[in-house]
Amino acid sequence: MSGTDGADGLPAAAAVDMGLDRAHGARIYDYILGGKDNYDLDRAAGEATLQVWPSLRIHMQANRSFMHRVARYLAEEKGIRQFLDIGTGIPTSPNFHEVVQAVAPESRVVYVDNDPIVLAHARALLKGTSEGRTAYLEADMRAPEKIISAPELIDTLDLGKPLGLTLIAMVHFIEDDDEAYRVVKRMVDMLPSGSYFAAAVATDDFDPVVLARVQEVYHSHGESLRWRTLAQAEKFFEGLELEEPGVVQIHKWHPDPVAVGRINDKDIAMYGGIARKP
C-alpha cells in the first residue's frame, strides 16, 4: 500500500487500493443496510443473495443490534472500559465506541479490519469522546500476534487489565474449522484474566436449504462463507465462562423488548454469546 500519510498517520484515502476484484463481506453488509460505500461486485452479490434469501436485510439488522447490545452489556453490566473490536466494518453510526462511550466516556476502543475501504474511512472511527480514546489498526484476524503487538493497540489499551474482545460476524470468513478455532484461541489466550470474549457465528441450522444457496452465491462472487452448527459455535467459547443465556441465536441474546416475538428464527443465521476468561 502506498500513499502519503495524513496528519493522523493514516494513509490518504485517495492512495488506498480498494481491492475491487471481488465482492467483500463488509461492503455487501453496507449495501444491504442502505450504505453508499460499496461497488458493483458488492451490489451484485447483495442483490443475488436477496433473490434467494429475502430475509438477509432482517438478519443483518439483527446482527448490528446484537453488536450494540454486546457493547452496552460489557460497559454497563461488566464495567469494561477498554475494547478490541476485530472486523470493524464500514463506519455506520452508532459505532462501537459511540455505544460504550455513551455509558462510560473514558472507554478506549481499538478497531481492527483488513478491508481497504474501512481504512479509507477510518478517520470517522477516531472521533470519540475527549475523555476516552479510539484507534484504528489495519490487520487480518488470522495474525493475532501482529494485532496484540501493534503500536496502535499498545498505545491505547492496557494489556494488564481486563478488556472486551469482539468478533462479531467474522469467523465465517475462515472456512477451515481448525484454523478458525486456532485463531480465536490464540487471541483469547493473549487476553488478561477477567476479560470478556463476544462472538457471532454464522449458522444454517434454521433454514439449511435456502442458506446453502446463499453460500453458493457468496462463493460465486469470490467471498468466503462457512456455516457452523450450535455445537461448532459453542466450541469457540471452550475454556471460558459463558454469560447467560449461553450461545443462542443473536436476536435471542438479551433481546430488545421491542423485537421480542417479531423476528422469525428462520430469518436469523447467526449464533452469538459472551464469555468471561477466568
Side-chain angles (χ1 to χ4, degrees):
M1 186 172 298
S2 62
T4 304
D5 285 353
D8 51 10
L10 290 170
V16 177
D17 176 5
M18 292 301 179
L20 305 182
D21 57 332
R22 64 177 180 86
H24 193 288
R27 299 194 298 260
I28 298 171
Y29 185 84
D30 176 73
Y31 172 67
I32 296 299
L33 294 182
K36 301 184 184 303
D37 295 305
N38 47 75
Y39 296 91
D40 288 345
L41 284 173
D42 310 307
R43 292 189 283 273
E47 286 299 328
T49 306
L50 284 168
Q51 288 295 316
V52 300
W53 191 38
S55 300
L56 177 62
R57 186 168 284 109
I58 296 171
H59 164 79
M60 288 186 168
Q61 289 169 340
N63 181 69
R64 185 155 182 80
S65 175
F66 174 70
M67 180 272 284
H68 290 155
R69 297 196 309 279
V70 163
R72 196 171 299 111
Y73 178 85
L74 290 175
E76 282 186 347
E77 303 295 328
K78 299 303 174 182
I80 298 298
R81 296 294 179 262
Q82 51 179 7
F83 302 86
L84 177 58
D85 179 41
I86 299 179
T88 303
I90 295 165
T92 304
S93 187
N95 288 296
F96 193 99
H97 72 277
E98 294 174 292
V99 176
V100 298
Q101 289 179 350
V103 175
E106 71 275 19
S107 295
R108 296 183 167 213
V109 178
V110 172
Y111 289 110
V112 180
D113 208 295
N114 71 334
D115 180 5
I117 200 170
V118 179
L119 173 63
H121 290 268
R123 290 172 180 82
L125 295 168
L126 304 180
K127 297 177 181 177
T129 62
S130 57
E131 301 95 328
R133 189 171 176 185
T134 60
Y136 177 79
L137 168 64
E138 184 186 19
D140 193 299
M141 63 178 166
R142 296 174 180 84
E145 287 85 2
K146 177 183 176 181
I147 293 172
I148 212 76
S149 63
E152 295 91 337
L153 186 145
I154 293 173
D155 291 345
T156 307
L157 306 181
D158 181 350
L159 295 179
K161 296 180 180 179
L163 58 88
L165 166 66
T166 58
L167 275 166
I168 307 298
M170 285 300 297
V171 293
H172 60 268
F173 294 123
I174 304 179
E175 298 203 357
D176 180 84
D177 290 339
D178 290 340
E179 182 184 11
Y181 293 128
R182 183 170 60 250
V183 166
V184 171
K185 185 177 187 304
R186 283 160 63 195
M187 183 60 68
V188 171
D189 284 348
M190 295 176 189
L191 300 179
S193 176
S195 294
Y196 286 85
F197 168 59
V201 181
T203 184
D204 65 348
D205 280 357
F206 300 91
D207 201 359
V209 174
V210 169
L211 293 175
R213 295 171 64 196
V214 169
Q215 186 179 49
E216 291 173 1
V217 169
Y218 265 59
H219 286 172
S220 70
H221 285 83
E223 183 56 287
S224 302
L225 178 56
R226 169 73 166 100
W227 304 120
R228 292 185 169 95
T229 65
L230 176 59
Q232 290 172 319
E234 291 174 332
K235 188 173 179 179
F236 286 106
F237 297 91
E238 279 188 354
L240 305 176
E241 301 168 348
L242 276 165
E243 297 287 303
E244 292 294 335
V247 179
V248 296
Q249 278 184 288
I250 53 176
H251 65 298
K252 297 179 178 179
W253 192 92
H254 294 248
D256 182 342
V258 176
V260 172
R262 296 188 177 186
I263 298 177
N264 189 322
D265 288 356
K266 290 181 69 173
D267 294 340
I268 305 300
M270 201 81 74
Y271 286 118
I274 292 182
R276 181 183 181 276
K277 181 177 180 179

